[in-house]
């Protein structure tokens, strides 16, 4: 299949000057390769407004044609939009206990009214500070609930990208540690699929630059190449993931990995990249006719 790839980078807006620097450095690196990223931006990091430094970095990124999209509201924890899911629970099983301990506090949030309210705050920040209207949502840590999809649908955000295909991409951490393992799930279709409230879920292929990944450089580079090949067998869209802090953990490694993937695709004449906003605008995130709707997996 003719696959177009998109590099998505999470948690912009969150953290101090060293994280702003990570965004700027990564933007310049990608621009030098003729690429633009989709940045998933936390609109009220820790409940606070963006610093002036963050605002400037976002406006610079926007003006350099990077794509800025919505990533939760405060991102203060991993339960903002639903109970914990894999692969977060695969590397940190204690998420399940943490959620159980706070279940009574958190469940009332997973309602349409609450979801709409928190999304609307994020949309207002984007509009007021950046004059942008997000079209794609990414929930922190992949946590979701049915009411989130209904709220996204009502607010005109037709695309969600939160669920992984390669569940083994963080296996160098946590109880499964030692090395990354290419472990793809069959829980959902590999191409964009229609899910709750007609919102289209665009699955994430995997992540290769999380902290500590540089210690397993050959394994991660091989896995990243294998993943970009594998997604092209069943989807016209391949969503790759990185985080501001993961890249900053070792810039040289992260940029070498990105280059290795680019060279791999280039060598096969398949180096096609676009941002999620560009793909959405072109209709390229719509499910293929043969792609089944997503399964009903959510309890809330
Ligand atoms: Zn995040």
């Amino acid at each position: 299949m003719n696959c177009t790839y998109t590099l998505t980078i999470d948690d912009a807006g969150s953290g101090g000057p060293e994280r702003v620097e990570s965004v700027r450095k990564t933007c310049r690196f990608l621009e030098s390769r003729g690429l633009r990223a989709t940045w998933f931006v936390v609109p009220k990091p820790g409940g606070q407004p963006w610093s002036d430094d963050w605002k400037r970095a976002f406006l610079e990124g926007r003006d350099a044609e990077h794509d800025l999209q919505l990533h939760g509201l405060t991102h203060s924890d991993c339960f903002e939009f639903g109970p914990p899911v894999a692969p977060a629970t695969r590397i940190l099983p204690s998420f399940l206990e943490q959620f159980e301990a706070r279940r009574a506090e958190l469940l009332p949030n997973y309602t349409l009214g609450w979801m709409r309210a928190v999304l609307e705050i994020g949309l207002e920040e984007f509009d007021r500070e950046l004059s942008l209207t997000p079209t794609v949502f990414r929930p922190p840590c992949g946590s979701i609930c049915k009411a989130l999809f209904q709220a996204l649908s009502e607010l005109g955000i037709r695309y969600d990208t939160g669920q992984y295909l390669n569940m083994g991409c963080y296996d160098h951490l946590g109880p499964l540690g030692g090395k990354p393992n290419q472990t793809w799930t069959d829980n959902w279709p590999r191409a964009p699929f229609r899910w709750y409230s007609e919102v289209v879920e665009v699955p994430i292929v995997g992540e290769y630059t999380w902290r500590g990944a540089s210690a397993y450089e050959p394994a991660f580079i091989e896995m990243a190449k294998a993943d970009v090949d594998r997604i092209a067998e069943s989807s016209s869209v391949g969503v790759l993931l990185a985080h501001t802090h993961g890249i900053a953990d070792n810039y040289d490694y992260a940029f070498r990995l990105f280059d290795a993937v680019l060279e791999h695709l280039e060598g096969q004449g398949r180096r096609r990249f676009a941002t999620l906003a560009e793909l959405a605008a072109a209709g390229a995130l719509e499910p293929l006719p043969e792609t089944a709707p997503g399964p009903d997996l959510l309890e809330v």
Side-chain angles (χ1 to χ4, degrees):
M1 209 173 283
N2 263 351
C3 189
T4 301
Y5 299 92
T6 183
L7 177 60
T8 62
I9 307 177
D10 288 9
D11 297 351
S14 182
E18 75 290 351
R19 296 283 173 77
V20 183
E21 177 62 18
S22 172
V23 170
R24 288 203 168 102
K25 245 177 130 149
T26 306
C27 279
R28 297 304 89 79
F29 166 79
L30 294 173
E31 289 155 16
S32 76
R33 303 301 191 261
L35 299 181
R36 300 295 183 272
T38 290
W39 295 89
F40 277 99
V41 175
V42 181
K44 284 261 173 155
Q48 301 299 313
W50 295 321
S51 66
D52 289 342
D53 203 14
W54 271 122
K55 280 186 218 170
R56 275 194 301 274
F58 291 146
L59 292 171
E60 288 163 22
R62 181 200 68 182
D63 293 346
E65 298 180 339
H66 289 273
D67 177 25
L68 306 178
Q69 299 288 350
L70 191 55
H71 186 40
L73 179 62
T74 70
H75 210 326
S76 296
D77 58 35
C78 277
F79 313 125
E80 213 171 11
F81 294 88
V85 294
T89 51
R90 186 172 162 119
I91 54 169
L92 261 185
S94 63
F95 270 146
L96 294 168
E97 292 151 38
Q98 287 176 36
F99 178 77
E100 286 311 315
R102 294 176 58 196
R103 178 177 275 271
E105 166 210 342
L106 292 165
L107 277 185
N109 297 354
Y110 307 149
T111 53
L112 179 60
W114 185 279
M115 290 290 136
R116 270 196 72 126
V118 294
L119 290 173
E120 278 171 343
I121 295 169
L123 291 173
E124 281 163 20
E125 292 297 311
F126 268 70
D127 182 42
R128 188 177 60 247
E129 302 293 349
L130 309 174
S131 304
L132 288 174
T133 304
T135 51
V136 187
F137 181 74
R138 174 167 287 158
C141 315
S143 294
I144 50 177
C145 66
K146 291 178 186 174
L148 164 65
F149 286 89
Q150 196 177 344
L152 289 172
S153 177
E154 290 184 8
L155 292 170
I157 300 177
R158 299 194 45 250
Y159 306 99
D160 181 80
T161 173
Q163 306 310 307
Y164 288 68
L165 295 172
N166 185 349
M167 295 287 181
C169 63
Y170 305 113
D171 278 2
H172 62 300
L173 303 170
L176 299 166
K179 62 182 179 58
N181 293 295
Q182 193 199 39
T183 307
W184 280 41
T185 183
D186 288 318
N187 283 356
W188 31 75
R190 292 175 178 180
F193 59 92
R194 215 166 290 289
W195 216 4
Y196 300 97
S197 300
E198 299 295 302
V199 171
V200 173
E201 177 70 25
V202 186
I204 298 164
V205 178
E207 175 157 21
Y208 316 95
T209 57
W210 189 259
R211 65 188 156 79
S214 58
Y216 306 92
E217 178 163 344
F220 268 103
I221 287 179
E222 282 318 300
M223 189 172 75
K225 290 182 192 171
D227 272 1
V228 295
D229 289 347
R230 193 166 177 180
I231 189 64
E233 292 168 13
S234 44
S235 178
S236 56
V237 180
V239 177
L240 308 178
L241 173 61
H243 282 77
T244 55
H245 38 95
I247 293 170
D249 186 52
N250 188 329
Y251 287 108
D252 291 340
Y253 161 72
F255 296 163
R256 271 200 305 277
L257 184 130
F258 295 150
D259 271 339
V261 170
L262 293 174
E263 279 166 27
H264 175 70
L265 293 170
E266 180 93 52
Q268 302 176 32
R270 302 195 292 118
R271 187 193 190 276
R272 279 185 296 275
F273 278 79
T275 65
L276 286 176
E278 288 167 341
L279 292 170
L285 297 180
E286 292 306 311
L288 301 169
E290 64 269 27
T291 304
D296 184 8
L297 294 174
L298 298 181
E299 286 173 31
V300 292

